[in-house]
Structures are given as structure tokens and as C-alpha cells.
Amino acid sequence: QVQLVESGGGLVQAGGSLRLSCAASGRTFSINSGAMAWFRRAAGKEREFVGTITRSRTTSYGDSVKGRFTISRDNAKNTVYLQMNSLKPEDTAVYYCAAKLAAGLFVRPDLYNYWGQGTQVTVSS
């Protein structure tokens, strides 16, 4: 009953910026929102934690993106954002939005209950 739809991906040059959006609908509107997160999967690699924002709006980021990426949420719009600055070729991946309807901070993908379809981000050198 919870749907997540990512958008905002594309092709950018190294050093550039993108802002991804994750729009939530369905059951999310009738219950308290929990943790929202972004993960990414590069070709030939496992899904990697990018960042999360908890119910209390605490944020946490993976080591590879700290200082460059910022996650935020607009509760009125039921939308989560990922601002990506100083992009590097190694940031190239499919980026996924995920939701866990519980309090806490979670960085493991298997702990999340709902997932979007992903949006492609490609960074050229």
C-alpha cells in the first residue's frame, strides 16, 4: 500500500550537482512516517547505503558521500530529497528510495520495507 517513486536522475559531469526526489503515497499518508533512506547500486556491486533521515529528522550518511550529499524531507508534500554536490564518476549508480515505518536509524537495506523503482545517475569524467 506504500508506493515510492524516485525522480531527478540524469547525466552530469564530474563536479556537478543533482537533486533526487522520492514521492511517497498510499499508506504513508495515514500513519506516522518512519525512517526514509537512499541507497544506490553501481554496476557489478551490492546495494550501498547513501543516507537516511529518521522520524525525528536526524540524518546520517555513508562514508563515501559525507560532506557532499544532503538528505531532507518535506512532510507536507510527503517527499524526500537527496541533494548531491561535487559528484564523482564513482557516484554513478541506480539510486533507490526506501522507507521503514518505525522509529530509529537504519543503514542496512534488508531492514527497509518499501522501495522505489530507482533512478539512474551517471557522472562522466
Side-chain angles (χ1 to χ4, degrees):
Q1 290 292 335
V2 176
Q3 292 83 44
L4 305 174
V5 179
E6 303 96 332
S7 62
L11 174 64
V12 298
Q13 204 167 29
S17 298
L18 282 175
R19 189 179 77 159
L20 306 183
S21 298
C22 173
S25 62
R27 188 157 58 93
T28 301
F29 290 114
S30 62
I31 62 175
N32 292 329
S33 296
M36 303 294 296
W38 290 92
F39 291 83
R40 66 187 183 186
R41 179 184 288 165
K45 297 184 179 180
E46 296 182 355
R47 192 164 296 191
E48 177 189 18
F49 171 73
V50 175
T52 184
I53 181 166
T54 71
R55 182 188 296 176
S56 62
R57 299 187 180 183
T58 299
T59 57
S60 183
Y61 302 92
D63 290 339
S64 63
V65 305
K66 286 180 180 178
R68 299 188 297 121
F69 291 9
T70 303
I71 190 170
S72 62
R73 173 160 62 185
D74 185 335
N75 289 331
K77 296 182 178 180
N78 215 10
T79 300
V80 177
Y81 304 96
L82 182 68
Q83 179 66 47
M84 305 185 295
N85 299 324
S86 302
L87 284 163
K88 306 174 181 179
E90 50 263 45
D91 295 319
T92 296
V94 177
Y95 283 71
Y96 297 91
C97 177
K100 181 176 179 63
L101 302 179
L105 191 154
F106 311 95
V107 301
R108 288 165 46 189
D110 58 294
L111 296 176
Y112 285 83
N113 305 104
Y114 304 100
W115 293 84
Q117 82 289 346
T119 185
Q120 176 71 45
V121 172
T122 302
V123 184
S124 64
S125 59

